Amino acid sequence: MSTFRGLVDVRADERRTTFAAFGTLLAITTGHTLMETARDALFLTKLPAAQLPWMYLVIVVFALALAQLGRRGAKADSKGGVAVSLVVAGAVTTAFYVLVHGTPGPMVLYALYVWSGLFASWVTVQFWTLLGRAHTMTQAKRLYGFIGGGAVLGGVLGAVLARGIVAMYSPRKALLGAAILFVAAAVPALSVRVPAAARDGVAASPAPAPDPDAAKRGSMTAGMSLLWSNAFARRVLTIVLVSTITVTLADFLFKSEVARAMPDARALARYLSTFYAVTNTLSLVAQLAIAPWVFRTFGVQRALFLFPLAVAAAAGGVLATGGVLLASVALKLLDGTFRYSIHRTSTELLLVPVPDATRERIKPIVDLVGSRGGQAIASIGILLVMMVGAGNAATLGALVLALATAWLALVVSIRGLYLDVFRDTLKAGGLSGKAELPELDLGALEALFAGLNSSRDVEVLASLELLAEQKRERLIPALILYHPSRDVVLRALEIFTALGRTDFVPIADRLNGHPDREIAAAALRARTAVTPDRALLEKRLAEPCEQVAATALVALVARGWIDDADADARIEQAITARSWQTATELARAIRDISTNDAAKHERFDTLLVRLAEEAHAFGETDPANDVRIRLEVARAMATRKSPRFLPVLVSMLSRHELRAAARAAIVEIPGALGALSDALRASDLARDVRTHLPRTIAMFEPEAATAVLLPQLLVEQDGAVRFKVLRALVRMRRADPGLALDATILLRAAESTLDHAAELRRWGSALGQEGDEPPTSLAVVDPLRAAHHLLVDLVRDKETHATQRLFLLLELLYGNDFEDIARGLRSRDPKRRASSLELVENLVRPPLRQRVLGLVGEEGSAPPDAAVTYDAALLEILVRGGTTMRTLAEYRAVEIGLDTSSVTGSRSATPGPLDANAISRRLFDKARDLFEPPAARGATRAPA
């Protein structure tokens, strides 16, 4: 039933194409079965079965020649080309109907056998290639079961018709019926619709310039080269080759045994038509009942196991019984049941995800070389076996068993390549990773020196960084301190200080008169770090420049060159002056000093905490000053590494300007991870701080960070924080693919997310029952329905976010980049979306697989949930929705007069009767919080 159910969910034009394809295959296969029955009966009663291998070889030669000729003509795999081929096939078959009249000669029978084999590799390859361009992978998986059922049903009808024709007339009459059906098949073939993008090769692209090498690339040799460069296509070709060899041996074994048992032509024809009717009926059942279940439950790649397993089991029976007729018949019965149902459909599906241009060049080669090449190899093998006198059923059964085993091994090995095809469809390309710089040679050094003289500051800074990276800082001239750019001078001073150079000190002393007082202070810090001078520091302490004086003060305190009381008085004076320049210089100076005196450590740490706490007072005239001070404080705290700093640094996470510096400082402090863990569990901590804790925790040692973050997935109530926890875990897993995570926790979190997504989808479906379109602008919003529109949009947004969280969990569970898969599912390109769905089906394991596919699959794939009414959805939201969602639901309930007495007071934001004005005030407060978070209003609570 699932095969037919897929037709209900498709568009009208897609349904027409599906039925047209079904009808075409029905007519083709019915006619081909008639032709094969007549051919086998005439051939096997007039000629020995030992001639069959030679026929296989001749068919291969002609098939390859026909394919090469077809490439030089018009495009044959268009629907017009397929229709013309079918008319030609009808004419040729009619000619054989005339030639086999009376007592046909051996050459006519040879030609008939070759023609029947050529027809199968000629028309069917064209038609399946046409369908491959008409459908995406998702469409193919849903529709190919039904379309392939036309071929299997045609086999049944053909066998039944052949049985009736043979009983009433002769095997020859079946050829005339085949010819009529081939011509009739051309009519539905013309109704197959190929999308314009697939028909033209590209969508919305300019017409390519004439390519003189196009014919060369379209040759069989070029196609073989393309196939050989594609590992997945090579593996598919090998599977087709080995499977063809296997079934060819089984076919020869069956026909030789049957011909030996039934020498009469009419009796043989009746037996074969009956046998084909039974096998094709079983194949039809497999196609309509077994195949959809197999593809739906196990996927395309796993479905490939079924046929070789059945063949191996039957071949084992032939070998065990010594080759009795019944065992050979059973082998052929399984071959007929599965080859044209599950095996053919799964093999066709394998190449659907390959890009159209590549597939259309390699598929004919896979079909011709794999199918006909396999027949040729099998034929040569049969001839060799017969030459050595070992052409008995037991030997052939052993060969079939060995080949079926190799076939299974190939199926096992294709899984990784199969999934890579879909990953390649999603990838947009690009390079990743870091490139390592080579050792600088003389030419490179000359280029860097030239960069130092550049008029562009960015080139000068890049040259400084590269010289520092290569440990060539001593080559930087001290005269660079005279550069007009402040950024260049400040960076050069940092490099000189880190290296411990002293040759820049005379120039640094001259910078005290620099108009940029930050440079003057930085020069004093740098020269004091390498050659401290007490007299110079005392002189600078008396300067009117507050920034230079602050730098000198910190240096004197650090070295004990100033009285403590005097130092405290000067520090208090600097702070009460409320100068942001002085405050930032105090922090910078503390960052650059080093001392082993614990008391001085305590003094500086206290000063940094005070600067951070009072920074808002410095920023009263300009809020940016607050950020400048706290940024320098965070950088200084990274060097001081005191646990006292943690509450201050954690509170800085709420500001994006301070976040990077705060995190860099936090990870340097001993015991910081424990404090962050406590802060993450503190539900009363400001939300705009908690949301940035997971990323900070992820910067610690992975195993320790995982132990903090992973359990939080199951207890965290705030969706935004939970999402950040997931992002942090994914970031760590991508950095370290071997990072161990508790699959039990991840599975529980995924199931919970799926439950939430299903609930949101149910609510969204109920809220959308009114059928109105969303407003196109705020100007056209109906005031009486504003809450309704907001609530519908919010529910849909939350469902989208739940799906995002689910894919992050799947990436953690299965170790693949599901972000690309999720992006492909959102794509409007049906090929990319189908590739993503195929990866989901193959990567996600039960019990999640079907639920995930139901959530993200095409419409109609999800199992129906219990529907709720509009009012019931509002009541459920009032009980289980988030704060904003509940508030909107309350407002909407008041608008429509819904009785909420059964839920008001349970989880409702405000117990008691609902009041529209009160709800409006809460909506206003919520909107204000979104635009101006509490942290921005000075209400951020830091952990104790």
Side-chain angles (χ1 to χ4, degrees):
M1 292 299 295
S2 59
T3 300
F4 299 99
R5 188 182 66 186
L7 297 175
V8 178
D9 304 319
V10 301
R11 302 185 308 270
D13 56 345
E14 187 178 327
R15 191 178 298 115
R16 285 194 298 270
T17 295
T18 301
F19 280 110
F22 177 88
T24 303
L25 282 178
L26 176 66
I28 290 174
T29 313
T30 302
H32 190 250
T33 304
L34 285 172
M35 183 169 61
E36 276 193 328
T37 304
R39 175 203 69 183
D40 289 342
L42 293 170
F43 188 94
L44 292 175
T45 55
K46 303 291 184 181
L47 298 170
Q51 296 296 316
L52 288 176
W54 294 107
M55 293 297 96
Y56 298 152
L57 289 172
V58 174
I59 289 172
V60 171
V61 173
F62 277 95
L64 293 176
L66 186 64
Q68 191 68 13
L69 289 174
R71 285 179 170 273
R72 298 180 182 178
K75 190 168 181 117
D77 50 9
S78 65
K79 59 183 180 181
V82 172
V84 170
S85 298
L86 288 168
V87 173
V88 172
V92 173
T93 307
T94 301
F96 277 109
Y97 167 74
V98 175
L99 291 174
V100 297
H101 179 67
T103 305
M107 295 305 298
V108 174
L109 295 177
Y110 290 151
L112 174 60
Y113 203 101
V114 171
W115 161 244
S116 65
L118 286 177
F119 173 83
S121 63
W122 176 33
V123 176
T124 55
V125 167
Q126 292 179 14
F127 188 70
W128 280 107
T129 302
L130 175 65
L131 292 184
R133 294 208 316 275
H135 298 115
T136 66
M137 185 63 183
T138 303
Q139 292 171 327
K141 288 174 63 180
R142 188 178 66 247
L143 302 175
Y144 275 20
F146 177 78
I147 293 173
V152 181
L153 181 60
V156 176
L157 292 177
V160 173
L161 284 175
R163 184 76 171 81
I165 291 172
V166 169
M168 297 176 61
Y169 304 102
S170 66
R172 172 174 170 265
K173 293 293 185 180
L175 294 175
L176 181 60
I180 295 173
L181 286 167
F182 293 155
V183 175
V187 178
L190 292 173
S191 300
V192 174
R193 178 184 175 274
V194 179
R199 185 171 59 248
D200 299 335
V202 291
S205 299
D211 188 355
D213 297 328
K216 180 179 178 180
R217 287 198 307 272
S219 66
M220 182 71 74
T221 303
M224 285 294 297
S225 177
L226 177 63
L227 184 145
W228 192 253
S229 65
N230 189 312
F232 175 71
R234 290 201 310 271
R235 194 60 51 85
V236 174
L237 173 61
T238 308
I239 289 177
V240 174
L241 187 68
V242 173
S243 63
T244 303
I245 295 173
T246 307
V247 298
T248 302
L249 288 175
D251 182 70
F252 175 77
L253 175 60
F254 167 75
K255 289 179 179 178
S256 60
E257 292 298 313
V258 171
R260 184 180 300 114
M262 300 178 187
D264 179 66
R266 186 177 289 265
L268 181 58
R270 285 197 300 268
Y271 178 83
L272 289 176
S273 60
T274 303
F275 179 82
Y276 290 149
V278 173
T279 56
N280 288 330
T281 301
L282 292 175
S283 183
L284 180 63
V285 172
Q287 181 73 8
L288 299 181
I290 300 177
W293 177 80
V294 169
F295 290 135
R296 184 178 64 252
T297 306
F298 301 105
V300 174
Q301 191 269 335
R302 299 179 186 90
L304 292 170
F305 284 95
L306 184 58
F307 188 31
L309 281 172
V311 171
V318 173
L319 187 61
T321 59
V324 299
L325 178 61
L326 182 61
S328 302
V329 170
L331 176 60
K332 181 62 179 177
L333 187 67
L334 288 172
D335 175 19
T337 300
F338 293 120
R339 191 202 305 188
Y340 298 107
S341 55
I342 293 176
H343 176 66
R344 181 61 185 265
T345 303
S346 59
T347 305
E348 293 294 336
L349 287 171
L350 277 179
L351 286 176
V352 169
V354 177
D356 290 345
T358 303
R359 183 185 65 249
E360 291 178 14
R361 293 171 64 187
I362 65 177
K363 189 179 186 306
I365 301 175
V366 170
D367 287 325
L368 292 175
V369 176
S371 299
R372 299 312 172 189
Q375 284 186 337
I377 295 173
S379 302
I380 295 172
I382 293 171
L383 292 173
L384 292 176
V385 169
M386 294 177 65
M387 286 176 59
V388 299
N392 55 71
T395 302
L396 293 174
L399 290 174
V400 171
L401 179 59
L403 287 166
T405 303
W407 183 358
L408 283 168
L410 289 169
V411 171
V412 171
S413 66
I414 202 175
R415 172 177 170 78
L417 297 173
Y418 176 70
L419 298 181
D420 287 342
V421 173
F422 294 96
R423 294 188 179 102
D424 292 341
T425 304
L426 301 179
K427 296 294 183 182
L431 298 175
S432 61
K434 296 182 179 180
E436 294 186 0
L437 292 174
E439 189 71 21
L440 296 180
D441 56 15
L442 182 59
L445 289 173
E446 290 177 351
L448 290 181
F449 290 142
L452 293 176
N453 297 323
S454 173
S455 60
R456 300 179 62 216
D457 294 348
V458 65
E459 293 183 4
V460 180
L461 288 169
S463 298
L464 289 174
E465 296 296 343
L466 284 172
L467 288 169
E469 177 78 16
Q470 293 290 312
K471 309 299 182 185
R472 302 294 182 93
E473 302 96 326
R474 294 189 179 279
L475 298 178
I476 301 174
L479 292 174
I480 194 72
L481 297 180
Y482 287 124
H483 197 280
S485 169
R486 70 187 301 274
D487 293 333
V488 171
V489 174
L490 292 174
R491 181 58 183 140
L493 287 170
E494 291 176 358
I495 292 174
F496 293 158
T497 303
L499 185 63
R501 285 174 55 173
T502 59
D503 58 333
F504 74 95
V505 170
I507 300 177
D509 288 343
R510 295 184 183 182
L511 292 178
N512 188 59
H514 199 284
D516 188 328
R517 306 315 292 159
E518 184 178 340
I519 290 180
L524 179 60
R525 289 199 309 273
R527 69 99 60 223
T528 302
V530 295
T531 56
D533 185 333
R534 180 173 182 174
L536 178 64
L537 290 174
E538 291 174 345
K539 179 180 178 181
R540 297 286 189 261
L541 181 61
E543 287 208 7
C545 175
E546 296 176 351
Q547 293 161 274
V548 174
T551 301
L553 174 61
V554 172
L556 289 169
V557 172
R559 289 164 177 81
W561 291 344
I562 187 174
D563 181 71
D564 288 345
D566 187 15
D568 291 339
R570 290 179 180 273
I571 290 174
E572 187 65 27
Q573 181 182 359
I575 294 178
T576 54
R578 293 294 186 254
S579 167
W580 70 269
Q581 294 97 335
T582 302
T584 55
E585 285 305 325
L586 285 172
R588 290 192 189 105
I590 294 173
R591 180 190 64 192
D592 291 343
I593 61 98
S594 60
T595 177
N596 295 322
D597 190 329
K600 293 182 175 59
H601 272 297
E602 183 68 22
R603 182 188 299 239
F604 290 138
D605 292 348
T606 301
L607 178 56
L608 288 175
V609 172
R610 184 178 178 186
L611 288 174
E613 292 175 345
E614 299 184 17
H616 65 280
F618 291 79
E620 289 179 352
T621 57
D622 184 358
N625 295 337
D626 177 9
V627 174
R628 294 189 183 103
I629 295 171
R630 292 201 286 166
L631 183 61
E632 293 300 334
V633 168
R635 292 170 178 170
M637 287 178 172
T639 64
R640 309 302 302 165
K641 305 178 184 180
S642 171
R644 293 179 55 192
F645 300 151
L646 285 174
V648 174
L649 291 170
V650 168
S651 68
M652 290 183 185
L653 295 176
S654 62
R655 296 295 296 267
H656 69 89
E657 306 98 327
L658 306 175
R659 201 166 294 141
R663 283 173 173 155
I666 289 173
V667 297
E668 297 293 334
I669 298 176
L673 183 58
L676 293 179
S677 177
D678 294 338
L680 185 62
R681 292 193 295 268
S683 58
D684 57 339
L685 181 64
R687 188 188 192 216
D688 54 350
V689 174
R690 293 186 71 239
T691 53
H692 300 291
L693 289 174
R695 172 74 180 276
T696 310
I697 293 172
M699 299 174 68
F700 288 83
E701 194 273 332
E703 284 74 14
T706 300
V708 173
L709 292 174
L710 197 56
Q712 194 70 19
L713 286 177
L714 301 180
V715 298
E716 180 58 56
Q717 298 298 317
D718 192 310
V721 178
R722 191 164 57 246
F723 179 75
K724 292 289 188 177
V725 170
L726 274 174
R727 292 294 301 176
L729 289 170
V730 168
R731 185 183 299 273
M732 290 192 293
R733 170 61 71 79
R734 290 177 181 174
D736 181 12
L739 180 64
L741 299 174
D742 190 337
T744 303
I745 294 178
L746 294 174
L747 186 61
R748 288 174 58 191
E751 290 175 340
S752 175
T753 304
L754 280 166
D755 292 339
H756 184 51
E759 182 176 58
L760 289 168
R761 175 165 293 186
R762 188 176 70 253
W763 291 347
S765 177
L767 295 174
Q769 289 174 0
E770 298 190 3
D772 56 331
E773 294 293 328
T776 56
S777 69
L778 292 176
V780 297
V781 174
D782 182 357
L784 297 178
R785 297 178 57 78
H788 164 76
H789 291 302
L790 289 173
L791 186 58
V792 170
D793 290 343
L794 182 59
V795 170
R796 290 172 179 170
D797 287 345
K798 285 186 174 293
E799 182 185 344
T800 300
H801 295 157
T803 304
Q804 292 176 351
R805 293 197 301 272
L806 173 64
F807 273 79
L808 293 176
L809 286 164
L810 294 177
E811 180 170 341
L812 295 174
L813 271 169
Y814 303 117
N816 290 270
D817 192 353
F818 276 83
E819 192 168 23
D820 282 338
I821 299 176
R823 191 179 301 113
L825 289 170
R826 296 191 298 270
S827 173
R828 295 184 178 180
D829 181 3
K831 289 283 187 182
R832 293 191 65 193
R833 178 171 173 79
S835 297
S836 294
L837 287 173
E838 185 67 13
L839 283 171
V840 169
E841 182 172 335
N842 280 273
L843 295 176
V844 180
R845 294 190 287 270
L848 298 180
R849 180 189 297 153
Q850 292 304 319
R851 297 191 66 190
V852 174
L853 288 174
L855 177 65
V856 303
E858 292 192 341
E859 187 177 355
S861 63
D865 293 323
V868 295
T869 63
Y870 188 95
D871 292 352
L874 287 178
L875 295 177
E876 288 187 12
I877 293 173
L878 288 174
V879 175
R880 296 192 294 274
T883 303
T884 306
M885 196 183 302
R886 293 199 311 273
T887 303
L888 289 170
E890 289 172 355
Y891 196 95
R892 182 59 179 159
V894 171
E895 287 182 333
I896 64 177
L898 177 65
D899 181 12
T900 61
S901 59
S902 60
V903 297
T904 302
S906 55
R907 275 198 59 187
S908 182
T910 301
L914 297 179
D915 175 72
N917 293 328
I919 299 173
S920 298
R921 287 194 297 272
R922 290 207 305 276
L923 284 172
F924 174 80
D925 292 340
K926 185 65 177 179
R928 183 194 61 188
D929 290 344
L930 291 175
F931 286 101
E932 187 183 6
R937 302 194 298 270
T940 301
R941 177 188 179 278

